[in-house]
Amino acid sequence: DTGVSQNPRHKITKRGQNVTFRCDPISEHNRLYWYRQTLGQGPEFLTYFQNEAQLEKSRLLSDRFSAERPKGSFSTLEIQRTEQGDSAMYLCASSVPLSGGVTDTQYFGPGTRLTVL
Amino acid sequence: AQSVTQLGSHVSVSEGALVLLRCNYSSSVPPYLFWYVQYPNQGLQLLLKYTSAATLVKGINGFEAEFKKSETSFHLTKPSAHMSDAAEYFCAVSFSGNTGKLIFGQGTTLQVKP
């Protein structure tokens, strides 16, 4: 168990450019989540995958944002035409759903810090 | 709507003193509650979680939290603070039957003075 990994750890880009982040979940974790954390705030939910299916998207996820999990393993989060307001830490988490309706425990990666100049 | 409120964005204690970080939730259905810790430039690490098995939950690093339904609270405590406890702490809530997404509070920065 190597934990959730995210790449890159830091990304600096100019306004208007596209960026893509990658998340590798813990092996055999079929749930994968993306959150965004701005300075001084708690993480906010962006989107969620069960295997390769994207089952929920937050209203925070504008049409400039797209996430994929093509084979149910790693996931990518792309931001097109970045804006300064996109500057944040982007966190990925993975989990295994528990039976009986008990909520699962999410394990977080180290995050990708995006700075838009 | 479900929400989480952490009272106090900054808490400062002396080394060896009691740590108390406050968390209140709002929910119309039974919640699952979590405390996570975040060290600078790192992701979130789970401290403990409440899943209705027991109201007093023990976690890692000597932390514990008590679920009080009547007060809609899930405060985090540690009897004796250590310098290494200095970090950002987040309370979060999730709900049975949903996707498992977490709703986080704003966070509390814990400062430990020598």
Side-chain angles (χ1 to χ4, degrees):
Chain A
D1 181 355
T2 57
V4 178
S5 61
Q6 293 186 246
N7 288 289
R9 293 292 308 276
H10 303 273
K11 178 71 177 177
I12 299 174
T13 191
K14 293 182 179 179
R15 186 163 49 102
Q17 298 294 305
N18 299 342
V19 294
T20 300
F21 311 140
R22 175 175 169 132
C23 170
D24 287 88
I26 294 171
S27 178
E28 299 180 355
H29 278 197
N30 56 7
R31 285 188 170 182
L32 187 147
Y33 302 81
W34 285 99
Y35 293 85
R36 181 173 69 186
Q37 184 180 20
T38 53
L39 203 60
Q41 299 296 317
E44 297 172 293
F45 170 78
L46 291 179
T47 190
Y48 150 72
F49 291 85
Q50 173 98 11
N51 299 311
E52 66 275 10
Q54 188 175 20
L55 298 184
E56 186 172 349
K57 293 195 294 186
S58 164
R59 282 171 286 185
L60 293 174
L61 214 64
S62 76
D63 56 6
R64 295 186 297 106
F65 287 70
S66 63
E68 294 183 342
R69 195 182 183 196
K71 296 183 180 180
S73 56
F74 73 91
S75 175
T76 58
L77 177 67
E78 180 183 17
I79 308 174
Q80 296 182 327
R81 306 180 303 281
T82 53
E83 302 173 356
Q84 288 185 325
D86 297 331
S87 295
M89 175 80 87
Y90 290 84
L91 294 165
C92 176
S94 70
S95 69
V96 176
L98 301 177
S99 61
V102 178
T103 196
D104 47 332
T105 296
Q106 295 179 32
Y107 296 88
F108 283 80
T112 294
R113 182 170 295 283
L114 172 66
T115 302
V116 182
L117 302 176
Chain B
Q2 292 84 3
S3 65
V4 174
T5 301
Q6 291 183 241
L7 299 176
S9 58
H10 288 84
V11 170
S12 181
V13 300
S14 298
E15 191 174 19
L18 171 71
V19 175
L20 171 60
L21 304 182
R22 300 177 185 273
C23 173
N24 287 87
Y25 68 91
S26 172
S27 172
S28 55
V29 297
Y32 296 112
L33 294 156
F34 303 78
W35 276 100
Y36 282 87
V37 61
Q38 186 177 35
Y39 297 99
N41 299 314
Q42 294 187 26
L44 281 72
Q45 180 184 6
L46 180 70
L47 281 176
L48 49 80
K49 73 175 186 181
Y50 166 76
T51 58
S52 78
T55 56
L56 183 62
V57 183
K58 294 188 183 298
I60 62 171
N61 302 337
F63 285 94
E64 63 181 36
E66 185 172 9
F67 173 69
K68 292 187 177 180
K69 184 178 179 180
S70 61
E71 299 177 8
T72 61
S73 69
F74 190 57
H75 302 331
L76 182 71
T77 60
K78 181 174 181 178
S80 177
H82 191 274
M83 296 297 292
S84 62
D85 294 328
E88 185 91 15
Y89 291 80
F90 293 96
C91 182
V93 65
S94 181
F95 305 96
S96 174
N98 82 341
T99 61
K101 70 181 181 185
L102 296 169
I103 299 170
F104 285 88
Q106 308 94 311
T108 297
T109 300
L110 176 65
Q111 179 187 23
V112 182
K113 298 177 292 186

